[in-house]
Amino acid sequence: MPDIQALVSDLPSKLRKRRVQGSYETARLTAELLRAVILQHKEPTASGAASLIEAVRRVGEQLIAANPVELAVGNIVRHVLHIIREEDLSPLTDIVGELKLSAEDDVEDIAEDENSQKSSATTDGCLLKPPLLLAVFEHLPDSAPACQTFSSENIFAGKADKSAKKLKSELIKAVNELIEDINTCREGIAEQAMELIHQNEVILTLGHSKFVKEFLCAAKEKKRSFEVFIADGAPKFEGHILAKELDKKGLKAIVITDSAVFAMISRVNMVIVGVHAVMANGGVIAPAGLHVLALAAKKHDVPFVVVASTHELCSLYPHNLEVLLNEMRCPSELLNFEEFSDCIDYGIASSSSLLHVVNPAFDYVPPELIRLFVTDIGGYSPSYIYRLIADYYSSEDLPPQQKPAS
Amino acid sequence: MGAQKKRAAAAAAAARVSEDPDDLARQPLQAILLADSFTTKFRPITLERPKVLLPLVNVPMINYTLAWLEAAGVAEVFVFCCAHSKQVIDYLENSEWFSQPNFTVKTIESHNIISAGDALRLIYEQNVIHGDFVLISGDTVSNMSLTQALQEHKERKKKDNNAVMTMIIKKSKPSPITRQSRLGTDELFMAIDPNTKQLLYYEDKADHSKGTICLDKMLLAENPSISLHNDKQDCYIDICSPEVLSLFTDNFDYQHLRRHFVKGLLLDDIMGYKIFTHEIHSSYAARIDNYRSYDIVSKDIIQRWTYPYVPDVKFCGNRATKLERRGMYRALEIEQSRSAQVGSFTVIGYGTKIGSNSKISDSVIGEGCTIGSNVLIEGSYIWDNVIIEDGCELRHVIVCDGVIMKAGAVLKPGVVLSFKVVIGERFVVPAYSKVSLLQQPTVHDSDEELEYADNSSGTVEFSCTADQSNGEMTSESSEAHKPKLGTGGVGYIWSICEGGQEEEWRHSVAPIPEDKLTELSEAMDDDQELVTQDRTALSTSGELISDSNASEGDDNEDSKDDSVYFEKEVEATFLRAVEENVKVDHVILEVNSLRLSYNMTSADCAGAVFYSMMKLAIKTPHSSAIGLLTLYPSPFSMVASNAYPIYLSGELQQNTANIITTWQKLLKSYLLEIDEEIEIILKFEEMCLESAKEFSPLFARILHILYDKDILQEDAILRWADEKEGADESDKVFVRQSEKFIQWLREASEEED
């Protein structure tokens, strides 16, 4: 399959070179790539979902490793794996008994533990969704996929090849739905604008988020009249772009600097921002500067509302965030290299220059500063996020990043 | 394609024009990457490995260039390999560059190529370039976007078929200190048309002429406005039209891209080809030309100016590296002792071990290195699999793959250790030395010498001897006169010859020493002086009237400087008079006007005129070379006098006599009193001691000539001799020399009495 190979190597290289950025874009591309993977996947022995899961996981790992900072990639991979597992459950229940038998038959030390776990999961699985809160922390052995393939090859050899085709078409349908969801998530979010933005309110936002823009525009279209303060979002100053776009839509926008948020916050009724990712504990990773804004909002008791789509929901917990999940961007966004080239001079005796430029892309905002999440499936409080994550991802796939690096 | 374009340009039909952009857009962008710099600046390392494969922050240099080309939208790259072509091709074949979608890398190999010009001629013969292409060498690091430059290039090309090249330039600080310390390159002067951005003049290596440039008069005449820049930096990234290749073929003597091609194109106005510039502002572009720029660019990468081409982004299949706090980059599986101190802005490669109490700062450590305890590494570049035993000290050095440093060895700043060298216990390698397993090639050609000369057969031979010496532990095999590298050391210290010790500091990784810095800043002050000098020197052409400058200078300079300026003005006036055969009366008039404007005495005039005459005498053999706008090097500095060969004294005497005869009237007109005559003798003495030492053996004879010509009277000479009677011994050198003459004068006067 040369074309799929090309596709599979293309996206990681794009991600690696930072040519695809932003959660919406990466999520969409990842989902499309995984759809292609599923479509092209030819089960060697018609072994059903296991080999498919393995294939998707392999591609997923490549994608995640390509740019660990783009959390949306991992989210989509895990969500697709979850879909596959769910779809896989229905035909699997028929042969649960057989599976148990065969597991006892060819006893393999490694496989045993895995199989029993799997079968118990499946028996529960037909009734309710498997991952509970505790399951999130559960850590699966690394050998899991290999064993699954092995055992299921034996079992499904004859039986499952009819269901394989059906499974695949179901899967494609489900993934298509997912892509559709990603594409329409903005509208889903924007629909709730009317409930949140009231007449003559003053809204504050920072930088440029497409979700926020759609959200505001949706309220405007419904003839709500309100004012928007835009903190310009140094060093990229994307707030200026937002100001222009809002101006075209006929919205009253006032641009302020990032450092003026505290001065302005007392006039503001609500802060609405877009984020990079939502963590499992309800905190968010957001463009640099948002933490300050959140603290300012807290101080003045202004509601701090985060708009996020479900593909930004991330099953990770923010441990050692600054190091793990921050991207240090180019210093030339802050300073002009030529202007400062004499300060950044290493050739002169002291050897290490005294001027350094640090340009982190993200802030972490803890959950206690956030009042509400507005997602495409409704509004939630930060404490409820873990539950959403359980709905969207299977515990088996959590979190592939924390596996010991090989 | 070319013909098609011409037709499109010629035809003003709107339909055709609208077709053209589509046509251009469909054409995939090509690039030529020269994987050989055709210089020897990275010796001895480049004897064993081509420059483009040298690791730059643990990634071979060529990857930065290829990654940038790919990101810039280039579809096809021709990598031209010459020196060590096998290594380059092997590397590329095993890298992921050959398997990229929408990005093809093809190699062109040749061994008998000695310059970039030859390489381009060969590529032209292969007929693989079909449209516009990017010309770049494999040691360039950039993250700029080509889109705009490319767009501009194409639009210009559409309007004017002679616009064959767009050169990418970048602003830099004009100070020579910054230039020197940033990239170790010389000053670069450019003249650019501010409206069209056309490049009109290009001059690097400007320090040869001591900060002066010559502009052709035509340049000023033909262009309504030009802006002169010494604050630009050449990025060595060019967007070329296919004509460039054929130009190289037509002019088979073009070798160097800048020195021959660009300058040739600028001078040759028959074909009317034009070069344009595109200035980049916030993005980064730099070429690694020497060890200093290697150091600087590495540090820029660590500081992330080259983002996204930084160690923690896997842009070319490099190993996963994590950026930690304080700018520390660490790969996986590093063993580091708890007591080791790894400072900020350090890169540590995969699988490296660091012992206890070692200190590392501002350095790049490669993969699989073993560093013992109590080691000090500062500002150094350590490549892969290096073993550094306990207690070594490394400051600002480059250490190549497989080097072993025995316990207690010390590397002084600027040292370069080539592959697999072994440094013995407690051995101190002196500053700026280069150590290699290979012996220094004995034949030293010009700077343009090729690295390929030492490839294949040569290298094999070399490495054979090296292996032998390796086996025998050098103690017997290496010659006695070679400085050894301590007990158990293997390798040869290269003697410094090219450019000499004097030049070593310029291009080394070591920071510039304090004394050189002060020297540079003094040179900067000199430059400012020279600027004023330029003004006066310009007046030799007769285009600028010096008076306006003179009064301008009068306002803000103190009186001491005034006399210097005055001297220069007089000299310039005099030279012009010589050149253009101005009548003596007119010269007197002009010098008088200068004298009034500077408020000088006639003694000063006499001194200055005499000074100019003697100066001319020294230069006379060169006088034929004096062009219309040639600017003279600083006449009063020691450097200038050293720059001229010592002439046969007879010839010089003859010259002097001639000049004195021709211009005696001028000189005499200022010799009203005996004081002025003494002034002349003193001036002459001063010259002989300082600026024009060539005259010192001739002092007595010229004094005689002056006497013969009635310029000096005997009274003056005798009074001068009397005055000197009480002076120091050192002051009396010339009195001694002319003792006979004075004796004779005394006797003559007595006889008269």
Side-chain angles (χ1 to χ4, degrees):
Chain A
M1 289 169 280
D3 50 344
I4 188 74
Q5 276 308 322
L7 272 176
V8 167
S9 66
D10 189 42
L11 186 60
S13 86
K14 270 187 187 157
L15 283 168
R16 230 182 289 136
K17 286 159 190 157
R18 308 293 196 259
R19 230 169 285 160
V20 183
Q21 283 182 330
S23 57
Y24 171 74
E25 194 69 11
T26 42
R28 199 173 51 81
L29 288 172
T30 311
E32 279 168 7
L33 174 66
L34 291 180
R35 181 176 60 182
V37 169
I38 295 169
L39 204 63
Q40 297 274 333
H41 186 73
K42 294 195 180 94
E43 295 97 320
T45 53
S47 59
S51 68
L52 195 56
I53 288 174
E54 178 55 19
V56 169
R57 186 197 285 263
R58 236 188 350 253
V59 173
E61 273 168 7
Q62 262 185 54
L63 289 171
I64 293 166
N67 188 355
V69 177
E70 286 297 351
L71 294 164
V73 176
N75 300 341
I76 294 297
V77 171
R78 262 163 264 155
H79 190 58
V80 168
L81 285 173
H82 176 69
I83 291 173
I84 298 170
R85 283 179 205 282
E86 285 219 316
E87 293 292 339
D88 196 26
L89 287 180
S90 31
L92 215 77
T93 41
D94 307 340
I95 45 164
V96 161
E98 210 172 324
L99 182 115
K100 271 182 179 162
L101 272 175
S102 69
E104 282 161 18
D105 278 349
D106 37 18
V107 192
E108 294 221 31
D109 292 10
I110 343 150
E112 192 172 40
D113 167 50
E114 167 53 28
N115 271 339
S116 56
Q117 205 171 37
K118 167 116 186 157
S119 45
S120 68
T122 45
T123 37
D124 301 348
C126 35
L127 300 172
L128 60 128
K129 282 171 186 153
L132 295 168
L133 173 59
L134 283 176
V136 170
F137 298 101
E138 213 172 321
H139 206 85
L140 276 175
D142 210 9
S143 54
C147 304
Q148 274 177 11
T149 332
F150 179 78
S151 56
S152 34
E153 258 174 43
N154 291 336
I155 305 155
F156 294 123
K159 273 216 166 187
D161 61 335
K162 263 181 249 156
S163 60
K165 265 203 184 117
K166 196 176 148 223
L167 171 71
K168 205 161 156 183
S169 66
E170 290 291 316
L171 277 178
I172 296 296
K173 213 187 279 171
V175 176
N176 277 338
E177 261 169 40
L178 170 67
I179 294 172
E180 188 58 30
D181 280 351
I182 295 171
N183 285 331
T184 57
C185 65
R186 285 186 203 165
E187 289 92 71
I189 293 170
E191 270 168 22
Q192 300 161 61
M194 289 301 283
E195 298 158 26
L196 283 157
I197 300 176
H198 306 113
Q199 196 70 16
N200 294 328
E201 269 191 338
V202 179
I203 313 280
L204 173 61
T205 185
L206 184 141
H208 180 247
S209 158
K210 292 203 177 76
F211 290 147
V212 172
K213 188 195 129 198
E214 300 271 322
F215 195 76
L216 296 174
C217 291
K220 176 69 192 170
E221 272 158 27
K222 302 264 172 63
K223 303 281 182 256
R224 278 277 140 85
S225 84
F226 54 96
E227 244 174 56
V228 184
F229 278 105
I230 303 169
D232 51 11
K236 281 181 155 181
F237 301 110
E238 285 178 322
H240 301 171
I241 303 168
L242 180 64
K244 256 183 219 161
E245 287 173 350
L246 291 186
D247 182 67
K248 270 187 205 135
K249 298 272 178 186
L251 254 169
K252 194 173 172 192
I254 300 153
V255 175
I256 59 171
T257 63
D258 292 352
S259 46
V261 289
F262 206 94
M264 292 309 202
I265 199 83
S266 56
R267 291 175 53 189
V268 170
N269 299 102
M270 180 165 64
V271 176
I272 301 180
V273 291
V275 295
H276 179 68
V278 179
M279 306 312 276
N281 67 345
V284 295
I285 294 177
L290 266 194
H291 197 165
V292 175
L293 179 55
L295 285 169
K298 185 82 177 173
K299 171 92 179 167
H300 286 263
D301 227 353
V302 176
F304 188 86
V305 176
V306 169
V307 288
S309 80
T310 40
H311 65 254
E312 284 172 333
L313 284 180
C314 183
S315 54
L316 299 176
Y317 281 81
H319 308 298
N320 199 9
L321 259 178
E322 293 86 345
V323 175
L324 273 177
L325 296 172
N326 214 338
E327 169 99 330
M328 290 294 174
R329 297 185 58 84
C330 185
S332 65
E333 285 173 0
L334 270 75
L335 295 183
N336 188 332
F337 182 73
E338 288 80 34
E339 288 298 309
F340 286 82
S341 58
D342 51 343
C343 309
I344 315 164
D345 216 330
Y346 324 97
I348 292 170
S350 62
S351 97
S352 56
S353 77
L354 299 171
L355 180 79
H356 300 301
V357 184
V358 177
N359 183 11
F362 303 120
D363 255 353
Y364 168 67
V365 183
E368 55 269 25
L369 298 180
I370 298 165
R371 185 75 58 87
L372 183 69
F373 282 99
V374 177
T375 72
D376 42 345
I377 48 169
Y380 298 97
S381 88
S383 55
Y384 192 72
I385 293 296
Y386 83 92
R387 186 61 222 163
L388 281 182
I389 282 167
D391 282 351
Y392 270 83
Y393 310 115
S394 305
S395 61
E396 287 97 324
D397 307 319
L398 291 180
Q401 273 179 328
Q402 282 176 17
K403 276 186 200 162
S406 47
Chain B
M1 187 64 220
Q4 206 179 351
K5 249 186 238 167
K6 260 175 221 160
R7 220 172 49 227
R16 184 90 38 105
V17 172
S18 64
E19 241 173 57
D20 214 5
D22 299 30
D23 199 37
L24 287 169
R26 247 182 280 128
Q27 183 112 44
L29 185 61
Q30 293 175 309
I32 295 176
L33 189 153
L34 299 174
D36 194 338
S37 58
F38 304 106
T39 57
T40 58
K41 295 224 175 89
F42 271 87
R43 283 195 169 183
I45 302 173
T46 46
L47 283 183
E48 287 163 79
R49 191 186 282 186
K51 182 175 160 192
V52 290
L53 295 188
L54 304 185
L56 183 69
V57 195
N58 294 341
V59 176
M61 269 182 218
I62 195 167
N63 286 318
Y64 289 92
T65 319
L66 285 173
W68 173 72
L69 284 174
E70 198 214 347
V74 173
E76 194 174 22
V77 179
F78 294 96
V79 178
F80 190 88
C81 319
C82 186
H84 306 289
S85 52
K86 190 99 183 52
Q87 282 187 45
V88 179
I89 292 167
D90 282 352
Y91 176 80
L92 287 175
E93 272 167 3
N94 294 323
S95 73
E96 60 175 36
W97 293 114
F98 270 43
S99 56
Q100 294 282 321
N102 312 322
F103 185 67
T104 35
V105 176
K106 287 180 183 151
T107 52
I108 297 174
E109 188 183 2
S110 175
H111 292 293
N112 46 2
I113 292 296
I114 53 162
S115 70
D118 287 343
L120 293 180
R121 280 186 275 277
L122 189 90
I123 291 170
Y124 180 71
E125 279 165 27
Q126 299 210 344
N127 203 18
V128 286
I129 298 291
H130 308 296
D132 290 338
F133 64 96
V134 179
L135 180 58
I136 191 171
S137 68
D139 47 10
T140 311
V141 178
S142 176
N143 63 356
M144 66 170 280
S145 151
L146 262 187
T147 332
Q148 206 198 338
L150 207 62
Q151 192 68 32
E152 280 176 17
H153 178 79
K154 281 180 173 160
E155 262 158 33
R156 266 198 297 264
K157 179 83 190 174
K158 223 184 289 169
K159 277 188 221 133
D160 181 354
N161 213 35
N162 281 336
V164 289
M165 186 163 135
T166 301
M167 192 190 262
I168 310 292
I169 56 170
K170 188 168 174 276
K171 207 170 165 226
S172 77
K173 291 267 164 174
S175 112
I177 293 192
T178 319
R179 189 173 282 275
Q180 187 58 251
S181 63
R182 290 264 341 145
L183 293 165
T185 50
D186 300 316
E187 296 249 275
L188 173 68
F189 282 94
M190 283 185 184
I192 296 167
D193 187 319
N195 298 319
T196 62
K197 303 284 174 223
Q198 188 185 345
L199 180 72
L200 302 168
Y201 179 80
Y202 184 98
E203 179 73 54
D204 54 359
K205 305 247 173 198
D207 69 341
H208 284 304
S209 49
K210 274 274 152 206
T212 60
I213 52 163
C214 323
L215 288 181
D216 193 63
K217 194 172 76 177
M218 299 302 285
L219 200 63
L220 297 164
E222 280 173 359
N223 297 287
S225 56
I226 59 173
S227 53
L228 284 169
H229 296 278
N230 71 338
D231 60 346
K232 296 283 184 263
Q233 181 186 321
D234 191 345
C235 301
Y236 297 97
I237 298 169
D238 303 320
I239 302 167
C240 307
S241 300
E243 286 90 338
V244 169
L245 290 179
S246 58
L247 271 172
F248 266 98
T249 317
D250 295 344
N251 300 279
F252 50 85
D253 55 337
Y254 284 172
Q255 304 291 347
H256 191 272
L257 282 180
R258 293 288 184 258
R259 230 171 289 156
H260 300 127
F261 175 70
V262 168
K263 285 186 188 170
L265 226 56
L266 291 174
L267 287 177
D268 173 28
D269 43 357
I270 303 164
M271 300 301 288
Y273 286 117
K274 289 171 192 160
I275 297 172
F276 289 85
T277 57
H278 175 81
E279 191 176 338
I280 53 172
H281 292 284
S282 58
S283 26
Y284 186 87
R287 184 179 170 211
I288 295 155
D289 186 48
N290 50 47
Y291 289 122
R292 177 159 318 279
S293 40
Y294 177 86
D295 175 50
I296 297 299
V297 173
S298 297
K299 282 179 173 147
D300 287 339
I301 291 169
I302 293 170
Q303 300 276 355
R304 306 181 76 79
W305 289 101
T306 58
Y307 183 92
Y309 309 114
V310 287
D312 59 324
V313 175
K314 289 197 267 176
F315 59 90
C316 64
N318 41 337
R319 279 203 198 264
T321 307
K322 271 186 185 161
L323 173 60
E324 297 180 4
R325 282 175 208 217
R326 296 193 302 137
M328 260 164 54
Y329 296 85
R330 292 160 66 91
L332 303 169
E333 307 201 7
I334 293 171
E335 281 177 38
Q336 185 187 338
S337 153
R338 276 187 175 274
S339 57
Q341 296 173 25
V342 178
S344 51
F345 304 107
T346 302
V347 180
I348 297 180
Y350 177 84
T352 287
K353 298 184 186 75
I354 301 169
S356 53
N357 288 320
S358 289
K359 283 183 192 163
I360 300 174
S361 60
D362 295 301
S363 300
V364 176
I365 317 262
E367 292 176 8
C369 293
T370 309
I371 296 167
S373 46
N374 297 315
V375 173
L376 182 95
I377 300 175
E378 207 181 283
S380 300
Y381 299 89
I382 301 191
W383 296 0
D384 300 345
N385 304 315
V386 174
I387 297 171
I388 299 173
E389 292 181 4
D390 299 354
C392 289
E393 278 182 32
L394 297 89
R395 286 192 176 87
H396 307 288
V397 296
I398 293 179
V399 177
C400 297
D401 292 6
V403 167
I404 298 170
M405 285 181 67
K406 297 268 167 76
V410 176
L411 301 184
K412 292 275 184 196
V415 168
V416 174
L417 299 186
S418 190
F419 299 92
K420 293 185 179 145
V421 163
V422 181
I423 304 291
E425 241 170 71
R426 298 186 188 287
F427 187 78
V428 179
V429 184
Y432 303 120
S433 44
K434 299 189 168 65
V435 186
S436 171
L437 279 191
L438 307 185
Q439 263 173 313
Q440 192 163 17
T442 40
V443 190
H444 284 284
D445 296 329
S446 66
D447 196 42
E448 295 289 273
E449 196 198 354
L450 330 159
E451 285 165 12
Y452 90 91
D454 302 288
N455 77 344
S456 57
S457 63
T459 321
V460 172
E461 243 171 68
F462 273 132
S463 48
C464 280
T465 53
D467 284 344
Q468 274 168 18
S469 58
N470 229 333
E472 293 160 31
M473 287 316 279
T474 39
S475 43
E476 305 96 38
S477 67
S478 75
E479 299 88 314
H481 67 271
K482 289 275 174 201
K484 278 185 241 160
L485 295 164
T487 38
V490 181
Y492 301 103
I493 296 186
W494 283 26
S495 58
I496 296 153
C497 44
E498 278 167 52
Q501 181 88 48
E502 192 41 41
E503 292 297 304
E504 281 299 313
W505 61 270
R506 280 184 194 281
H507 293 158
S508 115
V509 282
I512 301 176
E514 287 291 345
D515 54 323
K516 299 291 179 195
L517 267 185
T518 46
E519 219 169 80
L520 271 177
S521 45
E522 271 163 20
M524 202 153 56
D525 297 342
D526 272 3
D527 277 358
Q528 271 153 14
E529 233 167 82
L530 277 160
V531 170
T532 41
Q533 191 203 339
D534 282 357
R535 274 192 284 161
T536 51
L538 270 171
S539 70
T540 54
S541 70
E543 289 193 348
L544 295 175
I545 301 305
S546 45
D547 284 17
S548 58
N549 292 333
S551 55
E552 196 182 277
D554 208 43
D555 291 330
N556 42 22
E557 302 294 342
D558 59 21
S559 58
K560 188 182 166 282
D561 282 347
D562 265 4
S563 65
V564 175
Y565 292 136
F566 172 69
E567 223 161 62
K568 289 193 201 317
E569 292 271 4
V570 170
E571 194 193 347
T573 315
F574 178 72
L575 286 172
R576 182 161 51 83
V578 174
E579 226 169 87
E580 296 172 9
N581 286 326
V582 179
K583 277 187 189 156
V584 175
D585 293 339
H586 293 182
V587 181
I588 294 172
L589 209 62
E590 275 192 40
V591 174
N592 277 343
S593 77
L594 283 176
R595 181 188 137 194
L596 291 174
S597 68
Y598 278 99
N599 198 16
M600 293 291 167
T601 63
S602 60
D604 291 324
C605 288
V609 169
F610 178 74
Y611 176 82
S612 323
M613 285 164 66
M614 298 316 260
K615 210 68 207 169
L616 180 67
I618 299 177
K619 280 181 194 153
T620 301
H622 274 231
S623 62
S624 56
I626 295 174
L628 181 62
L629 255 160
T630 312
L631 310 179
Y632 294 102
S634 162
F636 54 95
S637 72
M638 301 284 288
V639 185
S641 65
N642 291 337
Y644 292 98
I646 308 294
Y647 306 118
L648 294 171
S649 51
E651 195 187 331
L652 184 59
Q653 191 185 349
Q654 192 58 44
N655 281 339
T656 319
N658 287 343
I659 288 163
I660 291 171
T661 321
T662 325
W663 296 98
Q664 54 179 312
K665 193 180 165 202
L666 172 65
L667 199 50
K668 270 185 196 161
S669 65
Y670 294 101
L671 301 175
L672 308 171
E673 307 261 341
I674 200 156
D675 287 345
E676 277 102 44
E677 289 174 25
I678 292 172
E679 168 75 24
I680 282 188
I681 303 174
L682 290 173
K683 186 89 198 173
F684 187 35
E685 205 180 6
E686 189 191 310
M687 278 180 82
C688 290
L689 279 173
E690 282 167 19
S691 59
K693 289 193 174 144
E694 294 93 329
F695 280 117
S696 49
L698 296 174
F699 184 83
R701 284 187 225 171
I702 290 172
L703 205 61
H704 196 143
I705 295 171
L706 291 170
Y707 175 75
D708 280 352
K709 299 286 174 198
D710 281 340
I711 291 167
L712 299 180
Q713 290 165 25
E714 54 189 59
D715 277 357
I717 297 171
L718 290 177
R719 264 177 67 179
W720 166 71
D722 290 343
E723 267 176 35
K724 286 280 169 178
E725 220 34 52
D728 289 349
E729 275 307 297
S730 57
D731 257 4
K732 287 204 277 192
V733 183
F734 295 109
V735 181
R736 289 273 165 68
Q737 200 189 71
S738 36
E739 203 155 349
K740 267 191 188 163
F741 176 60
I742 294 168
Q743 195 65 35
W744 177 77
L745 279 179
R746 284 219 168 97
E747 279 161 14
S749 62
E750 271 162 26
E751 267 170 35
E752 259 174 46
D753 292 342

